[in-house]
Amino acid sequence: MDKNQKKLNIIPLGGLGEIGKNMTVFRYGNDIILVDAGLMFPEDDMLGIDLVIPDITYLIENQDKVKGIFLTHGHEDHIGALPFILKQLDVPVYGTALTLGILKGRLDEAGVTTASLNVVKSGDRVRAGVFKLEFMRVNHSIPDAIGMAIHTPVGLIIHTGDFKIDQTPVDGQVMELNRFAEYGDRGVLLMMADSTNAERPGYTQSEKFVGETFDNEFRYAKNRIIIATFSSNVHRIQQICDAAVKYKRKVAVMGRSMVNVVSISLELGYLKVPDGVLIDIDEIRNYSNDKIVVICTGSQGEPMSALTRMSMGENRKVQIVPGDTVIISAVPIPGNEKMVSNTINHLYMLGAEVVYEKANGVHVSGHASQEELKIMHNLVRPKFFMPVHGEYRHLMKHAKLAESLGMDHKNILLAENGAIVELTKDKICLNGKVTSGKVLIDGLGVGDVGNIVLRDRRQLSQDGIMIVVVGVDKASGQIVAGPDIVSRGFVYVREAEDLMGEARGKVQAALDKCEDNHNMEWSALKTAIRDSLGRFLFEKTRRRPMIIPIIMEV
């Protein structure tokens, strides 16, 4: 074996320095495994972009070496990129029953039918090339979440996945802390742990706490109850159904993703609801309002979601009426605050009672706070530590927390996406980079929109566009028609005829100058139009619209 192969390479392709698109490569020699393959939602300045997935150039270049993709749980930021990736990589995928159930729905929608999906459960062992993986149950805001013990030729790696320590989980499935402690006794070379809540002191509250809040709200609600939450939070949906049974209400489900997850969870036994409680959304008109609960999507104010459309009076199935209680059982993801507050404002205007603040107990996080992270560190006692899953400030806070527990800062490594982390029995260090980054998805286009297109969209959104059309005689090269100017998103033409007339005059003067100089090259004409019109418009309006000259031969 050559010197190279005595080292394990860990390459995060996503999930570091950001929330979302989690994806980590583990490579030893000619064997590669992948943990998670998530997406993230676009930032505000990514105009028109639907989704963002990691750049998998490195995996495409090494696809013959990829032995498997292992999933920690079924959230979009961990499985959402697979419908795109599995079109390019034909590798087996391993995950728990609910994770693969949700994934299968996504793959069917994307037309991916050939994927090899393999169900694993806590306690199972899987061999993939030189790697041997074991799975441990963890608590999270979705059932069937797991952490992983990855046995490698250089030593044992513990990957926690997303987790919290919930002493009273809704399904009674307590996190297998004993397993983490056992691995700690055997000796762990490296731990990679969730950093999302590393800034939060104390402990994350149990999911059961939200159930108590629901109980109170149901007890006092006189009319219909509408609850928006994440479709993947099956435990929360279970608690809503439990409260509905207790207070003799029927439950209807709205929103495509919510309907999909509820049907998968019922089928696989993760959601237990007595017969006759769940009804179709079209049946709610058969019951009085005080006998109805609607569970829907839209907790993040997404424009096309069920709750947002209700708040705008655009939902055909459910119209908000005065007296309705609307519970938003989530906190806004950073960047969504404005959309959520708009939805709340509209709901209040329609006469609804809205319960939304975290202080009301309608939401708890699915991630471990500082004290739980300390418990994990003290159980596992790794030689090296690498914080994952979080923005840079979260990773930094988690690193400092590990140091406060007595870990040598030389043994803690903060990486960024694309970095090659080299791990041996005695050392962890950075050694180079691979191609990484964001692939933008717009409609059916994957990666065909890049920085230049986004820059153009930003310019169009800020200052609009002006198109200048000029006709040139094919034989003589003389200008025989125009200039005609078409404007969109710059000024309302009917109210700015003087400005448009002056603009035409400036373009005409620039073209006359080109004719006088006998410079009728198309590129020269286009430059002259752009420069003269751009200068004039900026002087008059202090705006810089995109100017597109079109020269037609006639």
Side-chain angles (χ1 to χ4, degrees):
M1 190 181 274
D2 67 39
K3 191 165 176 278
N4 246 356
Q5 290 180 306
K6 299 220 168 98
K7 297 166 182 159
L8 176 79
N9 286 340
I10 301 168
I11 307 165
L13 293 178
L16 297 190
E18 61 193 2
I19 302 288
K21 73 179 180 68
N22 297 290
M23 180 187 276
T24 311
V25 172
F26 294 82
R27 177 173 181 172
Y28 186 87
N30 287 322
D31 290 340
I32 288 177
I33 59 167
L34 195 61
V35 172
D36 289 331
L39 56 73
M40 68 190 284
F41 294 101
E43 291 157 24
D44 288 346
D45 60 349
M46 294 179 179
L47 301 174
I49 299 303
D50 300 322
L51 303 168
V52 183
I53 61 172
D55 186 326
I56 59 162
T57 305
Y58 178 80
L59 293 174
I60 301 295
E61 288 168 357
N62 295 282
Q63 55 185 312
D64 56 319
K65 301 181 180 72
V66 183
K67 306 300 179 196
I69 300 173
F70 294 85
L71 305 175
T72 56
H73 63 283
H75 278 151
E76 290 289 332
D77 58 334
H78 293 258
I79 67 168
L82 283 171
F84 306 98
I85 290 170
L86 291 177
K87 286 177 180 172
Q88 301 173 73
L89 289 179
D90 182 20
V91 293
V93 178
Y94 299 86
T96 54
L98 182 63
T99 304
L100 294 186
I102 293 171
L103 174 62
K104 188 164 186 325
R106 299 278 186 274
L107 294 179
D108 290 346
E109 281 174 18
V112 180
T113 53
T114 56
S116 159
L117 305 181
N118 304 275
V119 176
V120 297
K121 60 185 187 303
S122 164
D124 284 358
R125 296 177 178 192
V126 174
R127 185 171 277 287
V130 297
F131 300 98
K132 192 174 84 183
L133 292 95
E134 298 175 335
F135 311 104
M136 306 82 79
R137 185 171 61 240
V138 298
N139 301 129
H140 189 38
S141 51
I142 186 170
D144 241 6
I146 50 175
M148 297 180 187
I150 306 170
H151 298 269
T152 76
V154 298
L156 175 60
I157 298 172
I158 295 290
H159 192 300
T160 64
D162 284 2
F163 81 100
K164 71 191 245 189
I165 300 174
D166 193 337
Q167 310 283 12
T168 53
V170 172
D171 57 3
Q173 301 285 313
V174 182
M175 181 172 172
E176 294 180 314
L177 290 172
N178 55 314
R179 300 269 309 282
F180 286 92
E182 281 168 24
Y183 291 121
D185 289 343
R186 284 189 230 166
V188 172
L189 183 64
L190 170 70
M191 180 166 80
M192 301 168 74
D194 176 14
S195 309
T196 311
N197 275 357
E199 292 180 319
R200 289 197 194 171
Y203 296 87
T204 301
Q205 282 182 300
S206 170
E207 183 63 35
K208 278 265 175 81
F209 176 70
V210 181
E212 292 163 18
T213 306
F214 286 156
D215 195 274
N216 282 332
E217 293 297 336
F218 275 62
R219 186 180 305 134
Y220 297 114
K222 299 281 189 292
N223 284 330
R224 194 168 48 180
I225 300 172
I226 296 162
I227 305 179
T229 189
F230 292 114
S231 61
S232 60
N233 200 332
V234 178
H235 289 148
R236 199 154 298 171
I237 296 167
Q238 178 71 63
Q239 293 190 106
I240 296 168
C241 293
D242 291 347
V245 170
K246 182 175 175 183
Y247 293 99
K248 299 184 171 48
R249 287 176 179 256
K250 301 293 183 186
V251 178
V253 179
M254 270 197 96
R256 191 168 55 103
S257 60
M258 186 69 78
V259 170
N260 289 347
V261 172
V262 166
S263 61
I264 291 162
S265 302
L266 285 167
E267 192 183 315
L268 296 173
Y270 291 95
L271 197 56
K272 296 175 175 63
V273 186
D275 290 346
V277 173
L278 282 171
I279 60 170
D280 191 84
I281 194 71
D282 293 324
E283 293 176 49
I284 61 173
R285 61 172 72 91
N286 302 336
Y287 299 88
S288 60
N289 277 354
D290 62 343
K291 291 283 178 264
I292 289 294
V293 181
V294 177
I295 308 175
C296 65
T297 54
S299 63
Q300 297 302 306
E302 306 95 315
M304 299 306 290
S305 64
L307 185 68
T308 306
R309 293 171 74 112
M310 283 180 216
S311 75
M312 304 300 287
E314 294 170 359
N315 193 309
R316 289 200 309 277
K317 311 267 188 190
V318 179
Q319 284 80 38
I320 298 292
V321 295
D324 281 349
T325 298
V326 179
I327 301 172
I328 299 178
S329 183
V331 291
I333 293 167
N336 293 350
E337 294 89 351
K338 188 67 191 153
M339 292 193 296
V340 174
S341 62
N342 285 343
T343 301
I344 294 166
N345 289 333
H346 287 127
L347 289 167
Y348 271 130
M349 285 176 194
L350 292 171
E353 179 61 43
V354 190
V355 183
Y356 59 92
E357 272 147 338
K358 203 172 168 195
N360 291 328
V362 291
H363 179 70
V364 296
S365 172
H367 298 272
S369 296
Q370 288 176 357
E371 296 306 311
E372 291 152 276
L373 295 174
K374 288 176 184 173
I375 290 170
M376 183 59 84
H377 280 268
N378 287 328
L379 289 177
V380 175
R381 305 181 299 283
K383 182 173 182 179
F384 300 114
F385 172 57
M386 180 175 158
V388 292
H389 299 175
E391 293 173 16
Y392 200 81
R393 63 198 169 102
H394 302 130
L395 305 180
M396 182 59 84
K397 277 279 188 192
H398 201 171
K400 288 191 184 312
L401 182 139
E403 253 184 270
S404 75
L405 296 171
M407 197 164 202
D408 188 335
H409 73 92
K410 290 196 211 67
N411 290 355
I412 302 169
L413 188 128
L414 271 76
E416 55 187 40
N417 293 338
I420 300 173
V421 177
E422 201 169 80
L423 181 67
T424 66
K425 284 184 167 61
D426 322 300
K427 194 168 109 177
I428 188 168
C429 64
L430 295 171
N431 184 14
K433 286 186 82 82
V434 304
T435 305
S436 69
K438 297 180 168 90
V439 173
L440 308 180
I441 293 170
D442 185 358
L444 296 175
V446 179
D448 56 351
V449 174
N451 290 335
I452 292 166
V453 174
L454 283 182
R455 188 189 66 200
D456 287 348
R457 287 182 181 181
R458 277 195 284 274
Q459 189 183 351
L460 288 169
S461 73
Q462 286 164 359
D463 293 321
I465 185 171
M466 294 195 83
I467 300 167
V468 182
V469 184
V470 178
V472 175
D473 185 275
K474 196 170 188 178
S476 66
Q478 300 299 301
I479 292 163
V480 292
D484 292 322
I485 297 179
V486 181
S487 161
R488 289 288 181 274
F490 173 61
V491 289
Y492 185 50
V493 176
R494 285 184 190 166
E495 292 175 3
E497 284 173 0
D498 292 349
L499 179 70
M500 299 306 271
E502 277 186 76
R504 261 191 297 278
K506 290 289 179 187
V507 173
Q508 187 66 59
L511 294 172
D512 291 345
K513 195 172 176 187
C514 286
E515 269 191 291
D516 293 345
N517 295 337
H518 305 293
N519 188 1
M520 298 303 285
E521 288 281 322
W522 282 25
S523 59
L525 291 177
K526 286 183 174 182
T527 303
I529 292 169
R530 260 196 215 100
D531 290 351
S532 60
L533 186 56
R535 214 170 19 247
F536 166 72
L537 292 174
F538 187 71
E539 282 168 11
K540 285 285 187 183
T541 66
R542 284 292 180 268
R543 285 184 258 164
R544 298 188 194 276
M546 184 180 282
I547 297 168
I548 299 182
I550 296 175
I551 298 171
M552 295 188 297
E553 282 188 328
V554 289

